[in-house]
Amino acid sequence: MAEHLALLLTLPSHSSPIASPSKYSIPTKSMAATVFGTAVAVAAASSSSASSTSRFLSSATRATLSFSSPSPSPSLLSRSSSSSSFNFLRSSPLISHLFLNQGRPNSCGSNRRFSASSTPKCLASDPEQLKSAREDIKQLLKTTFCHPILVRLGWHDAGTYNKNIEEWPQRGGANGSLRFDVELGHGANAGLINALKLIEPIKKKYSNITYADLFQLASATAIEEAGGPKIPMKYGRVDVVGPEQCPEEGRLPDAGPPSPASHLRDVFYRMGLNDKEIVALSGAHTLGRARPERSGWGKPETKYTKDGPGAPGGQSWTVQWLKFDNSYFKDIKEKIDEELLVLPTDAVLFEDPSFKVYAEKYLQDQESFFKDYAEAHAKLSNLGAKFDPPEGIVLDASPKPAGEKFDAAKYSYGKD
């Protein structure tokens, strides 16, 4: 949800639309660099052979996508070399860290071609491919430290939901619309092109998974692999098929509004969330960093970020900013470490009487925080979604050991 809750992440640099493996700079005037500000840009150095003239499912052209052809095709994410296509990254006041039938080739068979504007018969994601994709995401997290930006990706796709609008997809929510240029151009989403480039190889490998499901699968897996709670997820989300189905800009939260408490409630109540869920989701700021040159918030570097992990620099909310725990609540309440970031929307959690009840509880009881966070994250991931089958798809536990879980504590975070 971005700009506010931690959806914020590290964003791409103004001058370079695609982050390179050696430079993960991601600018933005939005707090996108926030909670999920991560070294994720490491991803996705664009496929060198891919045609940079093809737009990412641009509204001007609905290119036919091949998920079965053995010959390499231009990446859906490849961008024009023209810097104009990334002008939207230059100024974003938002702070984010966080229509119609879609086409999914699913069990109808993967050896087929379909147009983004067509309506295939099968819509739900394939359960076995979802399980395999989950394992690939775990490996991606281990090598790129991209936990924060993947969390933000899922939050921002779902966080546009408006409970006052019944029609799908006009109501927004988790429908995969964030893959289109028009929505990527929203200030709150600056830098999320890097997250898309990170997971595009997984989408191409598992073509019978919708973007809406992949975004939420990546987000939940990132939380779990960072040491957070198991999220009770379900899948089978239907994708929108065109950019004309994207929600208008302005549905995601701001970083420093005049009245933080009122602003948080205006945005999250519109989604159907309550005070407890607002505070629990805010706790995800335990992940990531903010960078002043990208979001307008934070310091250029601190003793906790000067050496990474991942790209160095930025200011984190917590010391171990790749570890999911309840330390965020302790740090924003005490405000004794000037090396750690506290935004207006963070501080208000201990100033507003209603928010404070939950913030104090989570500071004292990590188990309660994990329980409430898991429920709130799952609820957020389902907002506005249309499921096929209607009851959704619940994945079984991974049939094989996932391997060594990411250990955030083993990194020095700039300390000796």
Side-chain angles (χ1 to χ4, degrees), residues 51-303:
S51 169
S52 61
T53 57
S54 86
R55 304 251 333 152
F56 178 65
L57 294 181
S58 73
S59 57
T61 58
R62 300 261 186 83
T64 297
L65 312 177
S66 172
F67 290 160
S68 59
S69 172
S71 60
S73 59
S75 165
L76 298 180
L77 296 171
S78 62
R79 294 281 202 150
S80 167
S81 58
S82 168
S83 62
S84 63
S85 63
F86 268 72
N87 285 338
F88 65 81
L89 291 177
R90 303 184 179 216
S91 61
S92 162
L94 294 181
I95 167 183
S96 175
H97 292 340
L98 276 229
F99 301 77
L100 257 178
N101 273 330
Q102 84 99 14
R104 177 192 92 71
N106 185 20
S107 55
C108 296
S110 59
N111 292 320
R112 60 181 289 177
R113 298 172 64 88
F114 68 92
S115 166
S117 60
S118 66
T119 305
K121 295 180 180 179
C122 299
L123 298 175
S125 294
D126 180 89
E128 294 307 312
Q129 288 201 9
L130 283 166
K131 293 178 185 178
S132 297
R134 180 172 58 189
E135 298 306 311
D136 285 11
I137 291 169
K138 291 178 182 179
Q139 293 305 311
L140 176 68
L141 291 165
K142 291 176 182 178
T143 58
T144 63
F145 312 108
C146 61
H147 304 66
I149 201 170
L150 293 189
V151 175
R152 181 180 164 231
L153 179 66
W155 282 31
H156 283 221
D157 194 47
T160 60
Y161 176 63
N162 187 338
K163 69 177 183 180
N164 301 310
I165 301 175
E166 287 188 26
E167 297 77 12
W168 184 94
Q170 292 92 328
R171 65 195 182 207
N175 57 31
S177 63
L178 188 48
R179 72 190 190 273
F180 292 109
D181 277 343
V182 63
E183 192 167 344
L184 281 173
H186 294 176
N189 296 325
L192 283 178
I193 182 66
N194 287 329
L196 288 166
K197 289 179 70 65
L198 279 170
I199 65 172
E200 178 61 16
I202 297 175
K203 178 66 175 76
K204 293 179 72 173
K205 183 178 180 180
Y206 304 108
S207 60
N208 294 342
I209 296 176
T210 61
Y211 277 98
D213 272 349
L214 184 60
F215 293 168
Q216 300 308 323
L217 176 66
S219 183
T221 303
I223 291 291
E224 295 169 8
E225 291 299 293
K230 176 72 176 177
I231 312 295
M233 299 290 290
K234 67 176 181 178
Y235 299 94
R237 295 169 186 79
V238 176
D239 277 340
V240 297
V241 297
E244 69 279 1
Q245 298 169 328
C246 293
E248 72 282 1
E249 186 167 8
R251 295 193 185 187
L252 296 173
D254 249 347
S259 178
S262 295
H263 177 70
L264 290 178
R265 290 191 173 98
D266 287 345
V267 173
F268 291 100
Y269 283 13
R270 186 210 69 220
M271 298 181 206
L273 301 175
N274 58 33
D275 286 359
K276 180 177 76 171
E277 291 160 336
I278 290 172
V279 178
L281 290 172
S282 294
H285 266 149
T286 189
L287 298 179
R289 301 165 285 176
R291 296 177 181 272
E293 73 275 16
R294 301 167 187 174
S295 67
W297 297 92
K299 298 178 179 180
E301 71 172 26
T302 69
K303 64 182 180 181

